[in-house]
Amino acid sequence: MSARKAILQVKGLQTSFFTDDGVIPAVDNIDFSVHEGEVLGIVGESGCGKSVTSLSIMGLVPSPPGKITGGEILFGDKDLTKLSDKEMRKVRGNDVAMIFQEPMTSLNPLFTIGNQLMEAILIHKKDWSKKKARERAIEMLKLVGLPRSEELMKDYPHQLSGGMRQRVMIAMALVCDPKVLIADEPTTALDVTIQAQILALMKDLNERLNTAVLLITHDLGVVAETCERVVVMYAGQIVEEGPVPIIFKDPQHPYTKGLLQSVPDMRFKKQRLYSIPGNVPKPGSISKGCRFAARCEFAFDKCLTENPDLYQTSSVHKTRCFLYQNQEVLAHDRTLIES
Amino acid sequence: MTEPLLKVEGLKKYFPIRKGLLSRVSGHVKAVDDVSFYVNKGETLGIVGESGCGKSTTGRMLMRLLEPSEGKVFFDGKELTSISSDDMRKARREIQMVFQDPYASLNPRHTIEKILEEPLIVHGIGNPKERKKKVRDFLEIVGLSSYHAKRYPHQFSGGQRQRIGIARALMTNPKLIIADEPVSALDVSIQAQVLNLMQDLQKELNLTYIFIAHDLGVVRHISDRVGVMYLGKMVEVAVSEKLYDKPLHPYTQALLSAVPVPDPNFVRDQILIKGDIPSPSNPPSGCTFHTRCPFKMDVCTKIVPKLVEVEPGHSVACHLYGEQAQQ
C-alpha cells in the first residue's frame, strides 16, 4: 500500500521526566515512521504522550526535567537524538518544522509578522539578501491564503484574528520547504468554521508542496477528515496503527473501539453513548500487564500480568492486544512485507 | 403543550466601551442583542455557537449573574428581571449552574463536603446532620463514594471534579440547570461518562437543562431542541432532528458542514465560509451574517431579519425564508 519512502523514523523512543516522585516515562518505547508526502495522525487523550513525542522529534523536550532516555529518531541518515544543539538548530525549521496549538502565544507580540517570517528565512538561508527574504515571506503569506499580504508584513500579531495567526504560523513553518511538518493540535483553539478553513489549507499544501504532515490531535473527526494513516496512543504507548479507513471501520484494540464509540455523532442521535469506565492511569503508575487492562471489558488473566507486544495483524495494521496475538502475521511473511 | 418553565423575551446585554480621560462611553459591545426563547419542563435546550456569539453571556443573564441591559426572563411564571437581588438569591435555589472549568470552579481550600454543603447553608435547608447525609447521598448519585467527602478538589481528576460540580448544582433540588460548556474541558471517554450521567439524572430527578456548548455533536446528543447563536443573535431554533437534518439558516448550514465527522467514508458538500466573525462592537448592518453569507441579497445589508416560525417547531432569522412575515 504505502510504497513511499519513510523520511522520518522513530525507533524505540523513550522520553522520561525526572521528577521528585521518581522517573516517569511519558513516552515508552514507541516506533513509527512518517512516509514522504503523507498525512499521519497521532491521536490520544490528554497525558498519552502524543505531544511529548512531537517535542522529542524537534528536540524541544524541556530539560530538565525531561530527557530522551532511549531509542533513535532518524531523519534520512541523521539520528536527531545524537545531534548537538547547534546541528539541531539547522534541522529545526529547515528539514522538520512545527506548528503549535496556541496561535496566540507562539508569535512574538513585539515584532511584526514580516520581521518574524524573515528571521526564519535568514537564519537558514545565510546567503539570501533581505530583499529576497522579504519576497519569499510575501509569497508564503499569499500561499496560505492571507489577503493584502504586503501590508500584513507590517502588522503585529495582536492585529490578527486566531485563524489568521495560525495561517501565519503555517507560512512560517513552511518558509524553508521542510520535508516534515509537525502540527500539534493546530486547530484545537479555533472555532469550527475556522478549523475547517485551516484543515483545508493544510491538506491543500500537503498535496501541492508534498510536505509530509504529522498531525497530533485528540479529535477523531479531524483524523478521519485529514489523515491517511493513524497511530493511536494510550498511556505512553502505541496501541494501534494502520490506515484511517481500516482503523475507523474495523478497529481492533478495545481502547480504539471504545474511543470511537464514545464520540457523539452529529449525523444521528445515539440513544446512549458508550463510555469507557475509569480514568487514564497516571503516568508511571503502571507496573505490569497491559496498560488498558483495568478499563478493558475483554481483559483476562494474562492481560494483568504481561504487557502485550504490538502485533502485526495485517500488512498495514498493528495492534497491542492479546486478543489479536494469534492473528499475527508470521515472521516469514513480515520480512516479505518489509522488504 | 406544556407551559414553558423558562421564557426569555428580548434579552439584551450591551457592555459599554469607555474611552479617554473622562472614560466617556464611546460605543457598546452588543454581546447579546435581542434574544427570545423558551424552555419546556423536562426538556433540554441546547445553545450552540462559536466563541463570542453570546451564548455564555445569555446563560449568565438567566441567573442574573450578569444584569441584562434589557429584556425579561420569566421562570415558572415569575418575572426574574424585576425582583430584588435578595429575592433573586432565593430564586437561585431552583436554578443552578454547572460551569466549564472543573479546575477553577471548586474552591481548592475547601473539602468536597464543605463545597457541597454550602448551597444548603445559604438556602437554610436542613440541620447539620441532615445536610451531611444529603452530601453523602448526592456523592453516590453522581457516581462518587461517600468517603470522597473529606478530600480536596486537587485530589480528583477532571471528570470527577465535573461530577462534583454537578452534585453541587443538584444539592438544592433545582428545577432548571444551566450547564455552560460542562464537558468541553474533558477527554472524549470522560465526556461520554459525564453526558450519560447528566441524562440519567434528568430522567430520575425530572430536571430541565439549558446546555450551552460549541460542540455540535455533543449538543445533538443531549438536546431536544437546539438554538444557534451568531454575534449575539439567535439565528435558528428547532427540534434537534430538524435542525441537524434540514438546517435552514446559511450559518447553521455552514457550521454543520464544518464539523469533522469521525468517519473517513463520509462524503458531504462542505460549505467553507470565508473570513472571520466580525467584532460585536461594530456588528455589520442588517443581518449580521451577511458579510460571510453565500446567499447574500440586497435586503440583507439593510434590514435585520426577525426570528420567524417557518414551520411548527422550526424558527429561523433569515430573509430567504418567510418574506411575507417581514411585511
Side-chain angles (χ1 to χ4, degrees), chain A residues 35-46:
Chain A
H35 299 145
E36 222 163 30
E38 80 168 340
V39 184
L40 174 70
I42 297 187
V43 70
E45 298 183 289
S46 33

Side-chain angles (χ1 to χ4, degrees), chain A residues 57-320:
Chain A
I57 297 171
M58 293 298 282
L60 291 173
V61 176
S63 169
K67 196 168 180 264
I68 295 177
T69 44
E72 45 190 21
I73 298 166
L74 298 176
F75 179 80
D77 49 3
K78 269 182 287 197
D79 182 356
L80 300 187
T81 60
K82 302 274 185 329
L83 296 185
S84 68
D85 283 356
K86 202 177 163 195
E87 289 167 318
M88 195 61 214
R89 265 202 294 278
K90 278 188 195 153
V91 173
R92 210 183 282 142
N94 205 16
D95 296 326
V96 186
M98 185 161 177
I99 53 176
F100 300 89
Q101 172 173 352
E102 281 290 329
M104 317 291 155
T105 51
S106 12
L107 289 167
N108 190 331
L110 297 176
F111 293 97
T112 60
I113 302 299
N115 191 317
Q116 297 185 54
L117 272 170
M118 283 165 61
E119 185 192 5
I121 302 168
L122 292 171
I123 280 176
H124 292 291
K125 314 267 189 215
K126 297 261 190 300
D127 52 333
W128 281 31
S129 68
K130 270 200 161 174
K131 191 167 167 252
K132 199 172 168 196
R134 196 185 134 77
E135 278 163 13
R136 171 76 177 156
I138 292 172
E139 182 196 328
M140 287 313 292
L141 289 176
K142 283 187 185 140
L143 185 74
V144 296
L146 285 167
R148 51 178 200 93
S149 44
E150 303 233 356
E151 293 140 68
L152 212 62
M153 294 282 284
K154 293 190 214 101
D155 280 357
Y156 287 88
H158 75 268
Q159 293 169 288
L160 311 184
S161 69
M164 285 168 83
R165 276 182 246 198
Q166 200 57 291
R167 283 177 196 265
V168 170
M169 284 305 296
I170 295 173
M172 197 182 288
L174 295 177
V175 87
C176 292
D177 277 327
K179 298 275 181 315
V180 183
L181 174 67
I182 300 176
D184 189 355
E185 303 268 12
T187 58
T188 309
L190 306 175
D191 277 316
V192 3
T193 54
I194 310 297
Q195 164 172 291
Q197 292 173 4
I198 297 291
L199 290 179
L201 170 70
M202 287 181 58
K203 252 162 71 176
D204 177 52
L205 292 176
N206 164 257
E207 278 160 27
R208 274 163 54 192
L209 308 177
N210 205 31
T211 312
V213 179
L214 179 61
L215 181 73
I216 289 153
T217 179
H218 69 280
D219 190 329
L220 289 157
V222 170
V223 172
E225 213 130 281
T226 30
C227 302
E228 292 157 56
R229 282 195 311 131
V230 62
V231 166
V232 184
M233 285 187 74
Y234 184 76
Q237 289 183 323
I238 292 178
V239 294
E240 192 159 358
E241 184 194 327
V244 165
I246 294 177
I247 300 274
F248 278 77
K249 188 164 169 275
D250 181 26
Q252 292 179 334
H253 198 281
Y255 175 65
T256 317
K257 284 182 188 167
L259 208 56
L260 282 167
Q261 282 171 31
S262 28
V263 186
D265 198 320
M266 199 195 65
R267 291 169 298 162
F268 45 84
K269 189 167 179 153
K270 296 175 185 170
Q271 273 314 305
R272 195 176 168 78
L273 284 178
Y274 175 84
S275 68
I276 306 174
N279 291 301
V280 180
K282 280 209 186 82
S285 68
I286 323 111
S287 49
K288 57 176 183 178
C290 169
R291 295 184 179 185
F292 187 61
R295 303 174 76 189
C296 181
E297 55 183 301
F298 306 104
F300 48 98
D301 291 349
K302 195 176 174 187
C303 304
L304 300 173
T305 52
E306 287 175 50
N307 192 0
D309 289 331
L310 196 57
Y311 305 115
Q312 183 101 40
T313 54
S314 83
S315 62
V316 288
H317 200 163
K318 290 179 193 166
T319 306
R320 190 185 293 280

